[in-house]
Amino acid sequence: AIIGFSDMLTHELYGRFADPRQKEHVELINEAGHHLLGVVNAILDVSKIELGAYTIIREPFELDVAVNTSLSMVSVQAERKNIAIETQIDTEIGMVDADRRAVRQMLINLLSNAVKFTPEGGKVVVGASQDGHSVQLWVKDTGVGIAADDISRLGQPFVQAGSDYARRGDG
């Protein structure tokens, strides 16, 4: 319903928007709806991965488009905290052949955490570099970081880094 109604609004079926920002916000709602659908699919994918039945769907796509789409999902939160977001994408990288949804989901997760755990006025950088026939993606931030003892626990179901009960961020 979110995707359908936001599609109708985006195409201005009931009239034009008075302010161009309204259309931009409806497009973000549409992207968020697609992202939410992707999250639900990702939860289903985790089950498939655990069963050894996950299929990677490779397709060519522009990496910078995937990065920009992911950035648009976290830009409002970053603006609220006055966090500067920078990209450092190697200009030689154009089309990549990968699972687009998985790449976008990883970027959104990393960027969301970077923004969430970076203090006000901080900085988040997302980058990509060519390494032979592979592309390395990375996200850096000026946030709190992860204790060395917690790194081995990352990726375990329902595990959060840190042990204090007085968290400064959600998640």
Side-chain angles (χ1 to χ4, degrees):
I2 293 168
I3 293 169
F5 286 123
S6 61
D7 275 341
M8 290 171 39
L9 290 170
T10 299
H11 292 97
E12 299 177 316
L13 296 178
Y14 300 112
R16 302 193 61 76
F17 291 107
D19 185 327
R21 291 177 294 181
Q22 291 172 304
K23 184 170 185 174
E24 181 182 330
H25 291 154
V26 168
E27 288 169 350
L28 286 173
I29 289 168
N30 186 273
E31 285 179 26
H34 282 285
H35 172 64
L36 185 57
L37 179 60
V39 169
V40 170
N41 287 330
I43 291 169
L44 296 173
D45 289 343
V46 169
S47 297
K48 290 179 186 176
I49 290 169
E50 289 176 349
L51 293 172
Y54 181 78
T55 303
I56 294 174
I57 301 171
R58 295 175 69 124
E59 63 179 309
F61 62 93
E62 294 280 344
L63 181 63
D64 63 339
V65 172
V67 169
N68 289 331
T69 300
S70 301
L71 286 172
S72 71
M73 302 298 273
V74 299
S75 63
V76 172
Q77 294 88 345
E79 286 174 18
R80 282 186 193 139
K81 293 176 70 177
N82 193 29
I83 294 174
I85 296 181
E86 184 180 311
T87 58
Q88 294 179 359
I89 309 294
D90 189 340
T91 56
E92 294 181 14
I93 301 172
M95 298 290 281
V96 295
D97 186 38
D99 189 318
R100 181 192 316 239
R101 186 172 53 117
V103 169
R104 196 168 85 176
Q105 187 63 52
M106 287 185 286
L107 283 169
I108 291 169
N109 291 349
L110 291 170
L111 289 166
S112 294
N113 281 340
V115 169
K116 185 187 306 181
F117 294 107
T118 296
E120 189 163 334
K123 181 179 177 181
V124 172
V125 182
V126 59
S129 58
Q130 189 86 34
D131 184 21
H133 293 292
S134 299
V135 172
Q136 293 183 352
L137 287 169
W138 48 267
V139 175
K140 294 182 188 178
D141 61 67
T142 56
V144 297
I146 301 170
D149 293 346
D150 288 332
I151 291 176
S152 65
R153 298 181 324 125
L154 296 179
Q156 294 177 12
F158 308 108
V159 168
Q160 291 179 322
S163 60
D164 63 345
Y165 292 106
R167 291 187 182 274
R168 282 181 249 165
D170 296 332

